[in-house]
Structures are given as structure tokens and as C-alpha cells.
Amino acid sequence: MTVSKFLNPKNDVAFKRVFGSEEHKDILIHFINDIVGLEGNDEIDQVEYLSPIQDPEISSKKQSIIDVLCKDKNGVQVIIEMQVAPTKGFEKRAQYYASKAYSRQLDKGEKYYNLKEVIFIAIADCIIFPDKKEYKSDHVILDKKTYEHDLKDFSFVFIELPKFKKNSIEELEGIIEKWCYYFKYADETSEQELEKLIGSDLVIKRAYEVLNQFNWSETELAAYEQEIKRIRDNIAALDYQLDKAKAEGEAEGIEKGKAAGVEELVINMLRKNTDLKF
């Protein structure tokens, strides 16, 4: 692949510009329907953006900031999260975000039957479920014996990009694979490759056009570059901590090894009834 004019959609600034702006709301709607597989009467045709900041009801509790939160005309809420770095317990965080969005639907005095579905979509540039082979997994609540889907208000979709192995446009099958290719390779895609990728999917073309850096102002590009710097700084800080921990661990291991060696020597000498002098 050649150097591309398109920016990286995994970058937080770029991601929110594509999926979190009123100007490009049609891309978001298309994306949700494609990834969740919504068709017919279930298909979303309009959404309203909600505040991505989930303030705690009690000040001492944790505030949550998500990438994109919206709801459709029927009140169904959709959370979309871009996860770049490996994070312990991300699947728990997903459930926390979803349950928080669910519980905050009701004002005092409202009925529980008014609660609407919450859909959580995660695009992860890391492995979430090491034991799963497929890059896309869909999770719902099922009866353990009958597998009936009685509790329908929570659903989760995880896309783990490292498990998506196709790196050629000719290999792609279906719209979901095109979206995966978009997230994984957009900043490496040439104009010629894009024409082959688009086909009849004009919304995919629009999603690429939003990433065209020549349509970004200097201020917008500066914010994009600042996000890259922030991630690099975080990675460098993490690498430093890991190297430090490793060095300290090795030093501690050497000391433990020495202590274990002395103990073994003492035991061997005692077994031989040898007098010890310290």
C-alpha cells in the first residue's frame, strides 16, 4: 500500500469527526445498521446525538466519557466506542456504560416498562477476547437452558481488528468487512484502491472523504496531531514503567536466587554434617 491522503479513523479526533458530528450523521446511521444487522422495521433511519459524558448521580461515583452516544426515534440508545490500546476489563467497562445509559432513561416516577434497548458497539485495535477466533462477536442475554432471548434490552457487538486478517480489497466480502478494512487500512488506502473498494457503497465513500486531510483546516489537523502525540506519550510512559518494573523484578529475582542458593547450600552442608561458621 502507498502513502495515503486519508487520516486514521482510529484516531479519537478523526473518529468523532466521522461518527460524532451532525454533518455526517448519515454515516453513523449506515454504520450502526450495517454492524448490528438491522433491517426492515428494525432499521434505524434517524438518530439524535446525546452527551457523551455520563455524569454520576452521586458526586463520589465515577464519571464516564464515551466516544459516541445517540438514540433513534424509538428511544433505542447506541453507544459506539473506539478502543485503541489494550485495557484490562474493557468488556466490564462496556457493560458498565450500557447499564448506566439504561438506568438513566427513567426520571423519578416513570415506569420500568418505558425503558428502551441499549446497543453497545466496540471497535478495538486490540484483543478483547483471546479465546475467540472470529473478529466480530455479538453478545445478548439468553436463557441458559432453552437459549430463548427473553431479556432483549442489552446487546453488545465487539470488532477486534487484529483478528481481521484480510488486507486486500479483492478479498473483502460484504459491508462489515469493508468497514473493518476502513478502520484498519484507511490511512494506507490510495485513490485507485478506494475506487475498487467503494463499489455501490456510497456511504463508505463519504466516510473516506471525511478523512481526506486536504479537507481539514490547520487547526483541525493540529488537534489530530496532538492526539497522536498524546497516545505516543502514553505508550512511552507505559514502556518506561514496564521496563522499570522488569528491571526491579529481575533485581529482586537475583536476590531471591542468591537467597535460595545460600539456603540450598546450608541444607546440603547440614546433610553432610559439616560445621558452619558465619
Side-chain angles (χ1 to χ4, degrees):
M1 293 183 182
T2 59
V3 176
S4 173
K5 68 180 182 182
F6 303 110
L7 299 174
N8 188 340
K10 297 188 292 291
N11 178 291
D12 188 63
V13 173
F15 182 85
K16 289 176 180 175
R17 177 162 176 154
V18 178
F19 298 100
S21 66
E22 287 286 340
E23 182 182 359
H24 309 119
K25 191 182 285 186
D26 60 315
I27 298 175
L28 172 68
I29 293 170
H30 196 287
F31 174 74
I32 295 171
N33 287 328
D34 292 340
I35 298 301
V36 183
L38 300 177
E39 299 177 336
N41 293 333
D42 295 327
E43 190 171 343
I44 294 175
D45 57 11
Q46 57 181 282
V47 295
E48 172 190 349
Y49 285 107
L50 303 176
S51 172
I53 301 176
Q54 296 179 313
D55 289 314
E57 295 180 3
I58 301 174
S59 59
S60 61
K61 290 189 174 181
K62 186 177 179 64
Q63 183 190 65
S64 307
I65 302 177
I66 55 185
D67 289 331
V68 176
L69 174 62
C70 64
K71 68 177 180 179
D72 72 1
K73 62 184 178 183
N74 297 316
V76 174
Q77 294 190 57
V78 183
I79 298 169
I80 304 177
E81 188 79 358
M82 180 72 236
Q83 183 64 26
V84 176
T87 302
K88 185 177 181 180
F90 179 74
E91 72 284 357
K92 290 186 176 293
R93 194 170 92 194
Q95 294 172 84
Y96 176 76
Y97 286 169
S99 61
K100 202 165 188 180
Y102 189 72
S103 64
R104 291 180 65 83
Q105 292 180 45
L106 292 185
D107 292 325
K108 187 175 181 179
E110 288 194 73
K111 306 300 181 183
Y112 289 115
Y113 57 73
N114 289 327
L115 287 166
K116 304 296 183 182
E117 181 184 355
V118 176
I119 301 170
F120 184 94
I121 301 173
I123 304 95
D125 197 28
C126 52
I127 301 297
I128 306 297
F129 306 110
D131 296 330
K132 289 185 179 296
K133 293 182 179 180
E134 298 296 326
Y135 69 86
K136 180 176 180 285
S137 57
D138 299 84
H139 305 255
V140 295
I141 302 174
L142 301 176
D143 185 298
K144 289 178 69 173
K145 288 187 176 180
T146 66
Y147 299 104
E148 291 172 306
H149 189 199
D150 302 309
L151 305 179
K152 300 180 180 180
D153 282 359
F154 289 95
S155 60
F156 301 83
V157 180
F158 293 89
I159 292 178
E160 300 170 84
L161 294 176
K163 295 179 182 178
F164 181 72
K165 302 300 184 182
K166 296 183 179 181
N167 56 12
S168 170
I169 292 173
E170 288 75 19
E171 297 179 88
L172 302 181
E173 299 178 30
I175 190 65
I176 293 178
E177 291 193 355
K178 287 187 177 184
W179 280 118
C180 290
Y181 188 91
Y182 171 81
F183 282 112
K184 199 164 183 178
Y185 300 115
D187 58 339
E188 302 174 22
T189 304
S190 68
E191 287 278 10
Q192 294 76 16
E193 290 169 326
L194 179 58
E195 289 303 317
K196 289 191 289 184
L197 172 66
I198 292 170
S200 60
D201 298 304
L202 297 181
V203 175
I204 291 284
K205 181 178 181 180
R206 291 247 302 116
Y208 268 92
E209 287 173 350
V210 179
L211 295 178
N212 186 341
Q213 58 185 299
F214 298 113
N215 295 330
W216 289 48
S217 68
E218 289 186 11
T219 302
E220 292 166 337
L221 285 172
Y224 175 89
E225 294 293 338
Q226 184 62 34
E227 177 62 12
I228 294 175
K229 180 180 181 301
R230 184 188 69 81
I231 293 174
R232 286 175 178 166
D233 289 348
N234 288 344
I235 292 173
L238 178 61
D239 287 342
Y240 170 78
Q241 293 297 330
L242 289 174
D243 289 343
K244 183 180 178 183
K246 182 180 178 181
E248 292 174 351
E250 288 178 348
E252 183 180 353
I254 292 172
E255 292 302 316
K256 286 182 177 179
K258 288 179 179 178
V262 171
E263 181 180 358
E264 184 178 356
L265 176 61
V266 171
I267 292 172
N268 288 337
M269 295 179 76
L270 286 172
R271 284 174 176 168
K272 295 178 181 178
N273 295 318
T274 304
D275 291 334
L276 299 176
K277 294 181 181 180
F278 295 96

